[in-house]
Coordinates of all heavy atoms in Angstrom, one line a residue:
L153 N 6.1 -12.1 -6.1 CA 5.8 -12.5 -4.7 C 5.9 -11.2 -3.9 O 6.8 -10.4 -4.1 CB 6.8 -13.5 -4.3 CG 6.6 -15.0 -4.6 CD1 7.8 -15.8 -4.1 CD2 5.3 -15.5 -4.1
M154 N 4.9 -11.0 -3.1 CA 5.0 -9.8 -2.2 C 4.5 -10.3 -0.8 O 3.4 -10.8 -0.6 CB 4.0 -8.8 -2.8 CG 4.0 -7.5 -2.0 SD 3.2 -6.2 -2.9 CE 4.4 -5.6 -4.1
Y155 N 5.4 -10.1 0.2 CA 5.2 -10.6 1.5 C 4.4 -9.6 2.3 O 4.6 -8.4 2.2 CB 6.5 -10.9 2.2 CG 7.0 -12.3 1.8 CD1 7.4 -12.6 0.5 CD2 7.0 -13.4 2.7 CE1 7.9 -13.8 0.2 CE2 7.4 -14.7 2.4 CZ 7.8 -14.9 1.1 OH 8.2 -16.1 0.7
T156 N 3.4 -10.1 3.0 CA 2.5 -9.3 3.9 C 3.4 -8.6 4.9 O 4.5 -9.0 5.2 CB 1.5 -10.1 4.6 OG1 2.2 -11.1 5.5 CG2 0.6 -10.9 3.6
S157 N 2.9 -7.5 5.5 CA 3.6 -6.7 6.4 C 3.7 -7.3 7.7 O 4.4 -6.8 8.6 CB 3.0 -5.3 6.5 OG 1.6 -5.4 6.8
G158 N 3.0 -8.4 8.0 CA 3.2 -9.1 9.2 C 2.7 -8.4 10.4 O 3.3 -8.4 11.5
T159 N 1.5 -7.8 10.3 CA 0.9 -7.0 11.5 C 0.5 -8.0 12.5 O 0.4 -7.6 13.7 CB -0.3 -6.1 11.0 OG1 -1.2 -7.0 10.4 CG2 0.2 -5.1 10.0
T160 N 0.1 -9.2 12.2 CA -0.4 -10.1 13.2 C 0.4 -11.4 13.3 O 0.2 -12.2 14.2 CB -1.9 -10.5 12.9 OG1 -2.0 -11.1 11.6 CG2 -2.7 -9.2 12.9
S161 N 1.3 -11.7 12.3 CA 2.0 -13.0 12.3 C 3.2 -12.9 11.4 O 3.5 -11.8 10.9 CB 1.1 -14.1 11.9 OG 0.7 -13.9 10.5
R162 N 3.9 -13.9 11.2 CA 5.1 -13.9 10.4 C 4.6 -13.7 9.0 O 3.6 -14.1 8.5 CB 5.8 -15.3 10.5 CG 7.2 -15.2 10.0 CD 8.1 -16.2 10.6 NE 9.5 -15.8 10.6 CZ 10.5 -16.6 11.1 NH1 10.2 -17.7 11.7 NH2 11.7 -16.1 11.0
P163 N 5.4 -12.9 8.2 CA 5.0 -12.6 6.8 C 4.7 -13.8 6.0 O 5.4 -14.8 6.1 CB 6.3 -11.8 6.3 CG 6.9 -11.2 7.5 CD 6.7 -12.3 8.6
K164 N 3.7 -13.6 5.1 CA 3.3 -14.7 4.2 C 3.5 -14.2 2.8 O 3.3 -13.0 2.5 CB 1.9 -15.1 4.4 CG 1.5 -15.5 5.8 CD 0.0 -15.9 5.9 CE -0.9 -14.8 5.8 NZ -0.9 -13.8 6.9
G165 N 4.0 -15.1 1.9 CA 4.3 -14.7 0.5 C 3.0 -14.7 -0.4 O 2.6 -15.8 -0.7
V166 N 2.5 -13.6 -0.7 CA 1.3 -13.5 -1.6 C 1.7 -13.7 -3.0 O 2.7 -13.0 -3.5 CB 0.6 -12.1 -1.4 CG1 -0.6 -12.0 -2.3 CG2 0.2 -11.9 0.1
M167 N 1.1 -14.6 -3.7 CA 1.4 -14.9 -5.1 C 0.5 -14.0 -6.0 O -0.7 -14.1 -5.9 CB 1.1 -16.4 -5.3 CG 2.1 -17.3 -4.6 SD 1.9 -19.1 -5.0 CE 0.3 -19.5 -4.3
H168 N 1.2 -13.3 -6.9 CA 0.4 -12.5 -7.9 C 0.7 -13.0 -9.2 O 1.8 -13.2 -9.7 CB 0.9 -11.0 -7.8 CG 0.5 -10.3 -6.6 ND1 1.2 -9.2 -6.1 CD2 -0.6 -10.5 -5.7 CE1 0.6 -8.8 -5.0 NE2 -0.5 -9.5 -4.8
T169 N -0.4 -13.3 -10.0 CA -0.3 -13.9 -11.3 C -0.5 -12.7 -12.3 O -0.8 -11.6 -12.0 CB -1.4 -14.9 -11.6 OG1 -2.7 -14.2 -11.5 CG2 -1.4 -16.0 -10.5
Y170 N -0.2 -13.1 -13.6 CA -0.4 -12.1 -14.6 C -1.9 -11.7 -14.7 O -2.2 -10.6 -15.0 CB 0.1 -12.6 -16.0 CG 1.6 -12.6 -16.1 CD1 2.4 -13.6 -15.7 CD2 2.2 -11.4 -16.6 CE1 3.8 -13.6 -15.7 CE2 3.6 -11.3 -16.6 CZ 4.4 -12.4 -16.2 OH 5.8 -12.3 -16.3
S171 N -2.8 -12.7 -14.5 CA -4.2 -12.4 -14.5 C -4.5 -11.3 -13.4 O -5.2 -10.4 -13.6 CB -5.0 -13.7 -14.3 OG -6.4 -13.4 -14.2
N172 N -4.0 -11.5 -12.2 CA -4.2 -10.6 -11.1 C -3.8 -9.1 -11.6 O -4.5 -8.2 -11.3 CB -3.4 -11.0 -9.9 CG -3.8 -12.3 -9.2 OD1 -3.0 -12.9 -8.6 ND2 -5.0 -12.7 -9.4
I173 N -2.6 -9.1 -12.1 CA -2.0 -7.7 -12.4 C -2.9 -7.1 -13.5 O -3.2 -5.9 -13.4 CB -0.5 -7.9 -12.9 CG1 0.4 -8.4 -11.7 CG2 0.0 -6.6 -13.4 CD1 0.5 -7.3 -10.6
Y174 N -3.2 -7.8 -14.6 CA -3.9 -7.1 -15.7 C -5.3 -6.8 -15.4 O -5.8 -5.7 -15.8 CB -3.7 -8.0 -17.0 CG -2.4 -7.8 -17.6 CD1 -1.5 -8.9 -17.6 CD2 -1.9 -6.6 -18.1 CE1 -0.2 -8.7 -18.2 CE2 -0.7 -6.4 -18.6 CZ 0.2 -7.5 -18.7 OH 1.4 -7.3 -19.2
W175 N -6.0 -7.7 -14.6 CA -7.4 -7.3 -14.2 C -7.4 -6.1 -13.3 O -8.2 -5.2 -13.3 CB -8.1 -8.5 -13.6 CG -8.6 -9.5 -14.5 CD1 -8.0 -10.7 -14.9 CD2 -9.8 -9.3 -15.3 NE1 -8.8 -11.3 -15.8 CE2 -9.9 -10.5 -16.1 CE3 -10.8 -8.4 -15.4 CZ2 -10.9 -10.7 -17.0 CZ3 -11.9 -8.6 -16.3 CH2 -11.9 -9.8 -17.1
K176 N -6.3 -6.1 -12.4 CA -6.2 -4.9 -11.5 C -6.0 -3.6 -12.4 O -6.6 -2.6 -12.1 CB -5.0 -5.1 -10.6 CG -4.7 -4.0 -9.6 CD -3.8 -2.9 -10.1 CE -2.5 -3.4 -10.6 NZ -1.6 -2.3 -11.0
C177 N -5.1 -3.7 -13.4 CA -4.9 -2.5 -14.2 C -6.2 -2.1 -14.9 O -6.5 -0.9 -15.0 CB -3.9 -2.8 -15.3 SG -2.1 -2.9 -14.6
M178 N -7.0 -3.0 -15.4 CA -8.3 -2.7 -16.1 C -9.2 -2.0 -15.1 O -9.8 -1.0 -15.5 CB -8.9 -4.0 -16.6 CG -8.3 -4.4 -18.0 SD -9.3 -5.8 -18.7 CE -8.5 -7.2 -17.9
D179 N -9.3 -2.5 -13.9 CA -10.2 -1.9 -12.9 C -9.8 -0.5 -12.6 O -10.6 0.4 -12.4 CB -10.3 -2.7 -11.7 CG -11.4 -3.8 -11.7 OD1 -12.2 -3.7 -12.7 OD2 -11.4 -4.7 -10.9
H180 N -8.5 -0.2 -12.4 CA -8.0 1.1 -12.1 C -8.2 2.1 -13.3 O -8.5 3.2 -13.1 CB -6.6 1.0 -11.6 CG -6.4 0.3 -10.3 ND1 -5.2 0.1 -9.8 CD2 -7.3 -0.2 -9.5 CE1 -5.3 -0.6 -8.6 NE2 -6.6 -0.7 -8.5
V181 N -8.0 1.6 -14.5 CA -8.2 2.4 -15.7 C -9.7 2.9 -15.7 O -10.0 4.1 -15.9 CB -7.8 1.7 -17.0 CG1 -8.4 2.4 -18.2 CG2 -6.3 1.5 -17.1
I182 N -10.6 1.9 -15.5 CA -12.0 2.2 -15.5 C -12.4 3.2 -14.4 O -13.1 4.2 -14.7 CB -12.9 0.9 -15.4 CG1 -12.6 0.0 -16.6 CG2 -14.3 1.2 -15.2 CD1 -13.2 -1.4 -16.4
A183 N -12.0 2.9 -13.2 CA -12.4 3.7 -12.1 C -11.8 5.1 -12.0 O -12.4 6.1 -11.5 CB -12.1 3.0 -10.8
L184 N -10.5 5.2 -12.4 CA -9.8 6.5 -12.3 C -9.7 7.2 -13.6 O -9.2 8.4 -13.7 CB -8.4 6.2 -11.8 CG -8.3 5.6 -10.4 CD1 -6.9 5.1 -10.0 CD2 -8.8 6.6 -9.3
G185 N -10.2 6.6 -14.7 CA -10.1 7.3 -16.0 C -8.7 7.5 -16.5 O -8.4 8.6 -17.1
L186 N -7.8 6.5 -16.3 CA -6.4 6.7 -16.6 C -6.3 6.8 -18.2 O -6.9 6.0 -18.9 CB -5.6 5.5 -16.1 CG -5.6 5.3 -14.6 CD1 -4.7 4.1 -14.3 CD2 -5.1 6.5 -13.9
T187 N -5.4 7.7 -18.6 CA -5.0 7.8 -20.0 C -3.5 8.1 -20.1 O -2.8 8.2 -19.0 CB -5.7 9.0 -20.7 OG1 -5.2 10.2 -20.2 CG2 -7.2 9.0 -20.4
R188 N -3.0 8.2 -21.3 CA -1.6 8.5 -21.4 C -1.2 9.9 -20.9 O 0.0 10.2 -20.7 CB -1.2 8.4 -22.9 CG -1.8 9.4 -23.8 CD -1.5 9.1 -25.3 NE -0.1 8.9 -25.5 CZ 0.4 8.9 -26.8 NH1 -0.3 9.1 -27.8 NH2 1.7 8.7 -26.9
A189 N -2.2 10.7 -20.6 CA -1.9 12.0 -20.1 C -1.7 12.0 -18.6 O -1.3 13.0 -18.0 CB -3.1 13.0 -20.4
E190 N -1.8 10.8 -17.9 CA -1.6 10.8 -16.4 C -0.2 11.0 -16.1 O 0.7 10.4 -16.8 CB -2.1 9.4 -15.9 CG -2.5 9.4 -14.5 CD -3.8 10.2 -14.3 OE1 -4.8 9.8 -14.9 OE2 -3.8 11.2 -13.5
R191 N 0.0 11.8 -15.1 CA 1.4 12.1 -14.6 C 1.4 11.9 -13.1 O 1.0 12.7 -12.3 CB 1.9 13.5 -15.0 CG 1.9 13.8 -16.5 CD 2.1 15.2 -16.8 NE 3.4 15.7 -16.5 CZ 4.4 15.6 -17.3 NH1 4.3 15.0 -18.5 NH2 5.6 16.1 -17.0
L192 N 1.8 10.7 -12.7 CA 1.6 10.2 -11.4 C 2.9 10.5 -10.5 O 4.0 10.1 -10.8 CB 1.3 8.7 -11.4 CG 1.0 8.1 -10.0 CD1 -0.4 8.4 -9.6 CD2 1.2 6.5 -10.1
L193 N 2.6 11.1 -9.3 CA 3.7 11.2 -8.3 C 3.8 9.9 -7.6 O 2.8 9.3 -7.0 CB 3.3 12.3 -7.3 CG 4.2 12.5 -6.1 CD1 5.6 13.0 -6.5 CD2 3.6 13.5 -5.1
V194 N 5.0 9.3 -7.5 CA 5.3 8.1 -6.8 C 6.2 8.4 -5.6 O 7.4 8.5 -5.8 CB 5.9 7.0 -7.7 CG1 6.2 5.7 -7.0 CG2 5.0 6.7 -8.9
V195 N 5.6 8.5 -4.5 CA 6.4 8.7 -3.2 C 6.3 7.5 -2.2 O 7.1 7.5 -1.3 CB 6.0 10.0 -2.5 CG1 6.5 11.2 -3.3 CG2 4.5 10.1 -2.3
G196 N 5.3 6.7 -2.4 CA 5.2 5.5 -1.7 C 6.2 4.5 -2.1 O 6.7 4.5 -3.2
P197 N 6.7 3.6 -1.2 CA 7.7 2.6 -1.5 C 7.2 1.7 -2.6 O 6.1 1.1 -2.5 CB 8.0 1.9 -0.2 CG 6.8 2.1 0.6 CD 6.2 3.5 0.2
L198 N 8.1 1.4 -3.6 CA 7.7 0.5 -4.7 C 7.7 -0.9 -4.3 O 7.1 -1.8 -5.0 CB 8.7 0.7 -5.8 CG 8.5 2.0 -6.6 CD1 9.7 2.2 -7.6 CD2 7.2 2.0 -7.4
Y199 N 8.2 -1.3 -3.1 CA 8.1 -2.7 -2.6 C 6.7 -2.9 -2.1 O 6.3 -4.1 -1.7 CB 9.1 -3.0 -1.5 CG 8.9 -2.2 -0.2 CD1 7.9 -2.4 0.7 CD2 9.9 -1.2 0.1 CE1 7.8 -1.6 1.8 CE2 9.8 -0.5 1.3 CZ 8.7 -0.7 2.1 OH 8.6 0.1 3.3
H200 N 5.8 -1.9 -2.0 CA 4.5 -2.0 -1.5 C 3.4 -1.9 -2.6 O 3.7 -1.2 -3.6 CB 4.3 -0.9 -0.4 CG 2.9 -0.9 0.2 ND1 1.9 -0.1 -0.2 CD2 2.4 -1.7 1.2 CE1 0.8 -0.3 0.6 NE2 1.2 -1.3 1.4
V201 N 2.3 -2.5 -2.5 CA 1.3 -2.4 -3.5 C 0.8 -1.0 -3.7 O 0.4 -0.7 -4.9 CB 0.0 -3.3 -3.2 CG1 0.4 -4.8 -3.4 CG2 -0.6 -3.1 -1.9
G202 N 0.8 -0.2 -2.7 CA 0.4 1.2 -2.9 C 1.3 1.9 -3.9 O 0.8 2.6 -4.8
G203 N 2.6 1.8 -3.6 CA 3.6 2.5 -4.5 C 3.6 2.0 -5.9 O 3.7 2.7 -6.9
F204 N 3.6 0.7 -6.0 CA 3.8 0.0 -7.3 C 2.5 -0.1 -8.1 O 2.5 0.1 -9.3 CB 4.4 -1.4 -7.1 CG 5.0 -2.0 -8.4 CD1 6.4 -1.9 -8.6 CD2 4.2 -2.6 -9.3 CE1 7.0 -2.4 -9.7 CE2 4.8 -3.2 -10.4 CZ 6.2 -3.0 -10.7
D205 N 1.4 -0.4 -7.4 CA 0.2 -0.7 -8.2 C -0.9 0.3 -8.1 O -1.9 0.1 -8.8 CB -0.4 -2.1 -7.5 CG 0.5 -3.2 -7.7 OD1 0.5 -3.7 -8.9 OD2 1.2 -3.7 -6.8
L206 N -0.9 1.3 -7.3 CA -2.0 2.1 -7.1 C -1.8 3.6 -7.5 O -1.6 4.4 -6.6 CB -2.4 2.1 -5.6 CG -3.8 2.6 -5.2 CD1 -4.9 1.9 -6.0 CD2 -4.1 2.3 -3.7
P207 N -2.0 3.8 -8.8 CA -2.1 2.8 -9.9 C -0.9 2.8 -10.7 O -1.0 2.7 -12.0 CB -3.3 3.4 -10.6 CG -3.0 4.9 -10.6 CD -2.4 5.2 -9.3
G208 N 0.4 2.9 -10.2 CA 1.6 3.1 -10.9 C 1.7 2.2 -12.2 O 1.9 2.8 -13.3
I209 N 1.6 0.9 -12.1 CA 1.8 0.1 -13.3 C 0.7 0.3 -14.3 O 0.9 0.2 -15.5 CB 2.0 -1.4 -12.9 CG1 2.5 -2.2 -14.0 CG2 0.7 -1.9 -12.3 CD1 2.8 -3.6 -13.7
G210 N -0.5 0.7 -13.8 CA -1.6 1.0 -14.7 C -1.4 2.2 -15.5 O -1.8 2.3 -16.7
V211 N -0.7 3.2 -14.9 CA -0.3 4.4 -15.7 C 0.7 4.1 -16.8 O 0.5 4.6 -17.9 CB 0.3 5.4 -14.7 CG1 0.8 6.6 -15.5 CG2 -0.8 5.9 -13.7
L212 N 1.7 3.3 -16.5 CA 2.6 2.9 -17.6 C 1.8 2.0 -18.6 O 2.2 2.1 -19.8 CB 3.8 2.0 -17.0 CG 4.7 2.8 -16.1 CD1 5.7 1.9 -15.4 CD2 5.4 4.0 -16.8
W213 N 0.9 1.2 -18.2 CA 0.1 0.4 -19.1 C -0.5 1.3 -20.2 O -0.6 0.9 -21.4 CB -0.9 -0.3 -18.3 CG -1.6 -1.6 -18.9 CD1 -1.0 -2.6 -19.6 CD2 -3.0 -1.9 -18.8 NE1 -1.9 -3.5 -19.9 CE2 -3.1 -3.1 -19.5 CE3 -4.1 -1.2 -18.3 CZ2 -4.3 -3.8 -19.6 CZ3 -5.3 -1.9 -18.4 CH2 -5.4 -3.1 -19.0
M214 N -1.0 2.5 -19.8 CA -1.6 3.4 -20.7 C -0.7 4.3 -21.4 O -1.1 5.2 -22.2 CB -2.6 4.2 -19.9 CG -3.8 3.4 -19.2 SD -4.7 2.4 -20.4 CE -5.5 3.7 -21.3
G215 N 0.6 4.3 -21.1 CA 1.6 5.2 -21.7 C 1.8 6.5 -21.0 O 2.3 7.4 -21.6
G216 N 1.4 6.6 -19.7 CA 1.6 7.8 -18.9 C 3.0 7.8 -18.3 O 3.9 7.1 -18.7

Side-chain angles (χ1 to χ4, degrees):
L153 278 178
M154 186 169 277
Y155 277 69
T156 62
S157 52
T159 57
T160 59
S161 61
R162 197 151 204 182
K164 303 182 292 291
V166 177
M167 296 186 288
H168 290 153
T169 66
Y170 283 91
S171 177
N172 295 154
I173 294 290
Y174 283 114
W175 280 101
K176 181 271 305 181
C177 286
M178 280 188 273
D179 271 347
H180 292 176
V181 168
I182 293 168
L184 297 168
L186 301 181
T187 71
R188 67 187 308 193
E190 205 70 59
R191 300 171 68 85
L192 184 77
L193 173 66
V194 179
V195 289
L198 288 168
Y199 64 70
H200 180 263
V201 287
F204 198 95
D205 292 285
L206 195 53
I209 192 174
V211 171
L212 293 175
W213 202 43
M214 299 302 292

